Amino acid sequence: SIGVLKRVLEKIPTSEKPSTFNYDFMTTVLDASGGAARQALSMLKKFGFISSEGTPSEIYSEFQTEGGRSSAALKALKHGF
């Protein structure tokens, strides 16, 4: 759901960057679980925040910074569509 994706995106900047971004990370660190969290994980891959293997990308790193967040969001939208 959009609400879960929004919550995950709001928590990414304040959480430590994981070596692997997976469902376990989402449930334990980002407090997102269930089917909607799995959909959010797929969306993050589609938008280029994480690789198909679950490695956080450059977009993810840029999104974590205050100055790079809007630029990273634009790159993610372009990547996803």
Side-chain angles (χ1 to χ4, degrees):
S1 95
I2 296 298
V4 172
L5 180 61
K6 179 180 182 243
R7 204 166 58 239
V8 167
L9 289 172
E10 288 171 345
K11 290 183 178 185
I12 285 176
T14 58
S15 65
E16 189 171 328
K17 181 179 167 183
S19 57
T20 302
F21 191 108
N22 54 25
Y23 185 73
D24 183 55
F25 176 78
M26 288 184 68
T27 58
T28 57
V29 178
L30 303 180
D31 195 30
S33 60
R38 292 189 190 280
Q39 288 177 344
L41 185 59
S42 294
M43 293 297 289
L44 291 172
K45 288 179 180 179
K46 180 178 181 177
F47 289 134
F49 277 88
I50 50 179
S51 71
S52 58
E53 296 83 29
T55 307
S57 69
E58 189 176 313
I59 291 174
Y60 185 101
S61 298
E62 190 176 347
F63 190 78
Q64 285 192 298
T65 67
E66 188 70 36
R69 195 159 302 129
S70 58
S71 172
L74 180 60
K75 287 177 188 174
L77 286 174
K78 287 181 178 179
H79 188 275
F81 294 101

